[in-house]
Amino acid sequence: MSTVLHLSASAAAPVQQIGSAIRSAQRRSWDVHLLLTPAAARWLETELPGLEELTGHPVRHRYDAPWRSEPLPLADVVLVAPLSAADACAWAAGITPDPALAVPAEASYRSRPVLAMPYWHSETDRQRSLRDALEHLRWRDGVKLLRGRKGYRPHPPGQEDPAAYPWESALAAAERELRFY
């Protein structure tokens, strides 16, 4: 029996490799349910049918009438990757207008493991409001932030490399969470 992973993704450059990340998660026996912010869904608009085929589930990027949608199973782990700075701030403030932010927020209150790996540059990383938001997510909501040695290190401005985003580190961290849950 596979374990359920809710993979929630912001509109940040590594979302372009989300299909590869899903395949890697599936090789690890995860049943992946993909949630995208509306902006990320627009970026991947032409790929949505293929992503639904890959996961075997609808890609959620907006709310639908309850009677029209497949229920989302309870996740064993929620992974928010990539997480943009704007979405980190919104999530910490309780502004969760779409499933990609609401599902992780609800999961932390249901005592489900929630991990988040950011993607932004070093200048953004120094913003006080972002630092406050990350502290809120970590200490008040129990979100495990995957940063630094075991996660993502902010890149210098103008030197982004979305292909180098450490998806495998994020998935390995999600697997470790199952051992402690």
Side-chain angles (χ1 to χ4, degrees):
M1 183 169 164
S2 61
T3 49
V4 175
L5 175 69
H6 291 173
L7 177 56
S8 180
S10 294
V15 80
Q16 299 167 79
Q17 286 86 33
I18 199 86
S20 176
I22 291 168
R23 284 187 285 281
S24 183
Q26 290 171 330
R27 284 191 296 276
R28 295 168 183 257
S29 298
W30 289 101
D31 177 20
V32 181
H33 291 259
L34 180 60
L35 304 108
L36 299 172
T37 62
R42 281 191 302 277
W43 288 11
L44 299 174
E45 187 174 7
T46 60
E47 297 176 44
L48 293 180
L51 292 168
E52 288 186 348
E53 185 176 328
L54 178 61
T55 62
H57 307 291
V59 174
R60 297 165 193 270
H61 55 91
R62 64 176 180 263
Y63 287 111
D64 201 358
W67 58 88
R68 286 194 209 138
S69 63
E70 169 187 314
L72 189 63
L74 192 60
D76 293 294
V77 176
V78 177
L79 173 61
V80 184
L83 174 63
S84 71
D87 286 336
C89 291
W91 179 12
I95 302 167
T96 57
D98 56 72
L101 294 179
V103 167
E106 291 171 9
S108 66
Y109 293 113
R110 290 181 171 183
S111 300
R112 303 317 258 189
V114 179
L115 297 89
M117 187 174 332
Y119 185 82
W120 49 69
H121 62 72
S122 55
E123 294 297 317
T124 299
D125 198 52
R126 287 196 270 275
Q127 293 177 4
R128 184 75 219 156
S129 59
L130 177 59
R131 289 176 154 201
D132 290 347
L134 296 177
E135 288 302 305
H136 177 93
L137 291 172
R138 182 184 300 128
W139 297 111
R140 298 223 30 220
D141 295 345
V143 175
K144 293 196 178 181
L145 296 172
L146 306 175
R147 295 172 43 111
R149 239 180 50 251
K150 294 185 177 182
Y152 181 73
R153 294 175 194 232
H155 57 275
Q159 296 181 27
E160 67 180 42
D161 183 7
Y165 188 71
W167 286 107
E168 292 302 320
S169 295
L171 294 171
E175 283 183 323
R176 284 191 301 276
E177 282 303 304
L178 287 177
R179 293 184 203 143
F180 300 110
Y181 181 70

